[in-house]
Amino acid sequence: MMRRRRAFHAAALFALLLGSCGAEVAAPPRGEVGVAAFAANRADGAAIPDVATSLAAKLGALGVGSVLPPRAIGAWPATPSTAARIALRDRTGARTLVTGGATRVGQALALDARVIDLDSGVPLGPPLIENAANDADLQRALDALAQQVARRILEPPPTTLAADPAKKPRKSKPATDVAREPIEIQADTLDAQAVSGGRRLTFTGHVSAMQGEITLACDGLEAFYPTGASEPDQLVAKGNIRVTQRDRTATCSEAIFYRSEDKLVCTGNPAELTEECSRAEAEKFTFYLETEKVEMVRPKVHGRECAATSALPSPAP
């Protein structure tokens, strides 16, 4: 028994020495940008390509730094904890993570990507969205999405505070083609459906749609995309709607944005519009966003409600 025990220890020591002198254990891959596997949203078992791996390859060619594909990131939860985020950052060396989803509706694919700062866990701006009419159109959509993600990584949107109109007078806005500016939509959930003439994307929960300096916040939003289009031609918002454009704010129960006409129509019981200290109510407001013209149906104007309090009369001599 003693002889066998010694032989065992000698063999174990020999194996330990071989392990320490043999091949090194591969270090985990490290990079500046990571791309997690995209969530696949599909019906009836429809196939969805590995868009995340393709996106990582395209990002690597756009000068964003070293890019880690999904296999290097591993499983990534939809709502990661702070500990999981920090662990991923420390394990891979990545400072930025790209997550997203791919939604199959018939032949079409809707792609959405989020860019997250791994140090703070804060998204760098709203989700980025591209649509492919079919699988043959997927590479074009991925190229466009990669360009958007690269710009977001290299030039993240600044965090700014709204200007105080009491301190900074409103400046006239030069004429620009607002209708050509891209629309960015952020929400908790996204659902897509094929409809006659295109696709309908339904956003719910903390919805925010931005086009230039215009922001629309609401409970739910439907965006209609014509076949082959990457931008919606109509948005329909419902529930707790708030539209802001610099020092102008409108609240209403339903709003429809007609992109081709650059027009936003707000209706409510009543709808309300405030601009600096003036407030008006109406059954319907129509905003022409580029010219900033407003039309009102049955308006009731309340005037300057926040004007400074009048000075007290001087005491009698």
Side-chain angles (χ1 to χ4, degrees):
M1 292 293 293
M2 182 65 69
R3 190 172 298 173
R4 289 182 180 177
R5 187 178 297 118
R6 287 176 178 172
F8 173 80
H9 287 310
L13 179 60
F14 185 62
L16 180 62
L17 290 172
L18 281 179
S20 63
C21 298
E24 295 182 358
V25 177
R30 301 178 70 82
E32 296 173 317
V33 178
V35 180
F38 276 28
N41 307 308
R42 55 193 163 205
D44 303 325
I48 294 182
D50 182 4
V51 295
T53 298
S54 298
L55 179 62
K58 292 177 183 296
L59 284 174
L62 292 177
V64 299
S66 176
V67 179
L68 298 175
R71 67 176 182 275
I73 300 301
W76 188 247
T79 55
S81 65
T82 300
R85 171 173 55 82
I86 298 301
L88 177 66
R89 183 198 64 184
D90 294 344
R91 174 173 63 85
T92 64
R95 314 301 294 189
T96 306
L97 181 67
V98 181
T99 67
T103 302
R104 170 75 78 181
V105 182
Q107 295 296 316
L109 270 170
L111 309 177
D112 66 278
R114 292 167 175 79
V115 183
I116 301 170
D117 177 74
L118 283 178
D119 288 329
S120 63
V122 175
L124 300 180
L128 303 169
I129 297 174
E130 283 293 337
N131 297 283
N134 46 48
D135 286 346
D137 187 41
L138 179 58
Q139 291 305 312
R140 177 209 59 79
L142 279 170
D143 285 336
L145 184 61
Q147 292 283 350
Q148 289 193 67
V149 171
R151 286 195 297 269
R152 183 65 56 81
I153 292 172
L154 297 173
E155 300 177 7
T159 301
T160 59
L161 296 176
D164 184 354
K167 297 181 180 179
K168 185 176 180 181
R170 178 176 175 179
K171 296 180 180 180
S172 58
K173 176 174 176 279
T176 58
D177 193 352
V178 175
R180 292 186 181 273
E181 296 184 23
I183 296 176
E184 295 184 339
I185 304 174
Q186 181 175 8
D188 293 339
T189 62
L190 166 64
D191 182 50
Q193 289 182 312
V195 296
S196 177
R199 298 176 304 286
R200 178 176 64 202
L201 302 187
T202 302
F203 301 85
T204 55
H206 303 93
V207 182
S208 177
M210 287 159 281
Q211 184 183 40
E213 62 184 10
I214 302 162
T215 301
L216 184 152
C218 59
D219 294 336
L221 179 73
E222 291 184 339
F224 297 89
Y225 290 78
T227 301
S230 60
E231 291 287 337
D233 65 351
Q234 187 179 105
L235 302 176
V236 177
K238 295 184 179 181
N240 297 310
I241 298 168
R242 184 180 183 88
V243 182
T244 58
Q245 184 183 33
R246 295 199 302 279
D247 53 3
R248 174 184 291 170
T249 301
T251 57
C252 53
S253 57
E254 181 172 295
I256 303 177
F257 175 48
Y258 302 92
R259 184 179 176 85
S260 61
E261 302 175 56
D262 193 25
K263 178 176 71 175
L264 178 69
V265 179
C266 288
T267 56
N269 294 310
E272 185 176 277
L273 172 66
T274 59
E275 185 171 354
E276 294 186 348
C277 293
S278 298
R279 183 172 68 90
E281 296 177 350
E283 290 183 5
K284 180 172 72 173
F285 290 101
T286 301
F287 302 89
Y288 297 90
L289 302 180
E290 184 173 347
T291 63
E292 300 188 4
K293 177 184 177 182
V294 180
E295 295 177 350
M296 296 181 277
V297 175
R298 295 184 177 87
K300 181 179 180 181
V301 180
H302 296 275
R304 297 186 62 83
E305 295 191 342
C306 60
T309 304
S310 300
L312 294 175
S314 301

